[in-house]
Amino acid sequence: MPRSGAEARRRLREAALELYRERGFDQTTAAEIAERAGVNERTFFRHFPDKREVLFDGEADLRAALARAVTEAPAELTPFEVLLRAFRESARNLEETHPYSAPRWEVIAATPALRERELAKHVLLTETVTEALRHRGVADGVADLAARTGWATYQHAVQAWIGDTTRSLDAHLLRAFEDLRALSSG
Amino acid sequence: MPRSGAEARRRLREAALELYRERGFDQTTAAEIAERAGVNERTFFRHFPDKREVLFDGEADLRAALARAVTEAPAELTPFEVLLRAFRESARNLEETHPYSAPRWEVIAATPALRERELAKHVLLTETVTEALRHRGVADGVADLAARTGWATYQHAVQAWIGDTTRSLDAHLLRAFEDLRALSSG
């Protein structure tokens, strides 16, 4: 049995992903995930409300980190500069967990219930970013537009990186925001 | 009994929306929608596979219209000019059906199953627009970025319009693409 809670969570995440890839999400139970992870079912439910949420561990942390990064960015930065900075910071986390990111994405793309959950996550994150931009004094309408288009740019960069890991996510992000600038001024 | 199929569809859409607002989506059945619309249940299922799809009537037409507008836009336009043009065209439809748009949006926002369906629709539409931009010769990566951020801008404009109908959707759209340009060059 793993000793720490963080270690149990990590093992549950990895076990869930393995089983979803082997059998599919629908054919996997929480009990089987717990067994594969070497913990009991009660431990599973101490960490996650259901088998769907295992793949969305850390979402609240990500939201908090983005809100903090936007709030604390230097006052002279433009909204897109603030967002690029915040996304680059959160991208460092994603790069560290990359061996988990790409297969996680494949499972989500293949499973309607997970795709819907992923999309709901994007809406929440966009709202968090909008709110944080407003706190910086960005006008309501512009904050909403910047958060939506900035988040769309981030998603584009993440997908480009999953398809081409010869460059870092950071490089894909810088490129995406440059391309957006070129598109808008073209 | 309405004589034409188009008239039955319209009555079913309006009846469904009325009932969803009165009782909630979960508490409404297809049979009740048919009764309110003055048609029988078989007619309901001839037009819609289930009660969820009643609110997404015309989605395939919208996808086709956007793809056509992007494909047929003059060759010298930039990707964002092409998208603004295509969105303005599809916005005319939305303005004509506005009495239906705003309450439809309220019902969707209040119902998780419908929110998920709406989000899935956005993903599909973005993919359609990406594909159409590629057919114009826009490079793969740029087409994906333009479709995602352009669609995000369109969504921002639609939401702004639902919140402020003293200006037309067309005016909100022009403003949104101008604001995006200002954000990117700032």
Side-chain angles (χ1 to χ4, degrees):
Chain A
M1 289 273 278
R3 295 208 195 121
S4 78
E7 170 67 7
R9 279 180 100 87
R10 189 187 61 73
R11 287 168 68 155
L12 284 164
R13 279 199 308 265
E14 287 173 5
L17 192 56
E18 272 174 34
L19 288 165
Y20 297 162
R21 297 181 80 192
E22 287 168 24
R23 316 179 180 172
F25 175 78
D26 292 333
Q27 283 72 48
T28 302
T29 67
E32 288 163 343
I33 297 168
E35 197 194 335
R36 173 79 59 107
V39 304
N40 61 40
E41 207 177 336
R42 267 184 49 218
T43 303
F44 178 97
F45 287 110
R46 202 155 54 226
H47 289 288
F48 301 105
D50 57 46
K51 65 175 179 169
R52 197 168 73 159
E53 291 307 306
V54 185
L55 288 184
F56 295 90
D57 192 25
E59 182 182 332
D61 291 343
L62 172 59
R63 286 229 304 282
L66 280 175
R68 199 172 45 241
V70 169
T71 308
E72 293 175 356
E76 67 274 18
L77 297 188
T78 68
F80 274 166
E81 285 168 348
V82 167
L83 293 186
L84 175 56
R85 196 171 178 274
F87 292 148
R88 290 181 78 186
E89 206 176 299
S90 94
R92 274 199 287 278
N93 261 321
L94 219 52
E95 295 215 86
E96 279 162 25
T97 56
H98 179 258
Y100 177 75
S101 298
R104 172 184 174 275
W105 184 257
E106 277 166 39
V107 169
I108 289 174
T111 314
L114 296 175
R115 283 204 305 264
E116 288 166 356
R117 177 65 182 77
E118 176 76 12
L119 291 168
K121 170 181 147 182
H122 293 192
V123 171
L124 267 181
L125 279 160
T126 309
E127 287 171 0
T128 298
V129 169
T130 304
E131 211 38 60
L133 285 172
R134 282 177 183 154
H135 278 130
R136 291 179 63 83
V138 178
D140 281 10
V142 178
D144 182 77
L145 178 65
R148 286 175 188 263
T149 52
W151 184 257
T153 306
Y154 181 54
Q155 285 308 303
H156 162 81
V158 170
Q159 289 302 320
W161 170 64
I162 285 173
D164 164 25
T165 50
T166 62
R167 288 189 298 163
S168 67
L169 174 53
D170 194 57
H172 281 288
L173 257 175
L174 288 169
R175 165 79 178 269
F177 274 85
E178 266 168 39
D179 283 350
L180 177 61
R181 178 189 283 261
L183 273 168
S184 298
S185 67
Chain B
M1 288 273 280
R3 294 207 195 124
S4 78
E7 170 65 7
R9 279 180 99 87
R10 189 188 60 74
R11 286 169 68 154
L12 284 165
R13 278 200 308 264
E14 287 173 5
L17 193 55
E18 272 174 35
L19 288 166
Y20 297 162
R21 297 180 81 193
E22 287 168 24
R23 317 180 178 172
F25 174 80
D26 293 333
Q27 283 73 49
T28 302
T29 66
E32 289 163 344
I33 296 168
E35 198 194 335
R36 174 78 59 107
V39 303
N40 62 39
E41 208 177 336
R42 267 184 48 218
T43 303
F44 178 98
F45 287 110
R46 202 156 52 227
H47 288 289
F48 301 106
D50 57 45
K51 64 175 179 168
R52 197 167 73 160
E53 291 308 306
V54 185
L55 289 183
F56 295 91
D57 192 25
E59 182 182 331
D61 291 343
L62 172 58
R63 284 228 307 280
L66 280 175
R68 198 171 45 240
V70 169
T71 308
E72 293 174 356
E76 67 274 19
L77 297 188
T78 68
F80 274 165
E81 284 167 350
V82 168
L83 293 186
L84 175 56
R85 195 170 179 276
F87 292 148
R88 289 181 78 185
E89 206 175 299
S90 94
R92 273 199 289 276
N93 261 322
L94 220 50
E95 295 214 86
E96 278 163 26
T97 56
H98 179 257
Y100 178 75
S101 298
R104 173 184 174 276
W105 184 257
E106 276 167 38
V107 169
I108 289 175
T111 315
L114 296 175
R115 283 205 305 265
E116 288 165 356
R117 177 66 181 77
E118 176 76 12
L119 291 168
K121 170 181 148 181
H122 293 191
V123 172
L124 267 181
L125 279 159
T126 309
E127 287 172 0
T128 298
V129 169
T130 303
E131 210 39 58
L133 285 172
R134 283 179 183 154
H135 278 129
R136 290 179 63 82
V138 178
D140 282 9
V142 177
D144 181 77
L145 178 64
R148 286 175 188 264
T149 52
W151 183 257
T153 305
Y154 181 56
Q155 284 309 302
H156 162 81
V158 170
Q159 289 302 319
W161 170 64
I162 285 174
D164 164 25
T165 51
T166 61
R167 287 189 297 162
S168 67
L169 175 52
D170 193 57
H172 281 289
L173 257 176
L174 288 169
R175 166 78 179 270
F177 275 84
E178 265 168 38
D179 282 350
L180 178 61
R181 180 189 282 262
L183 273 167
S184 297
S185 66

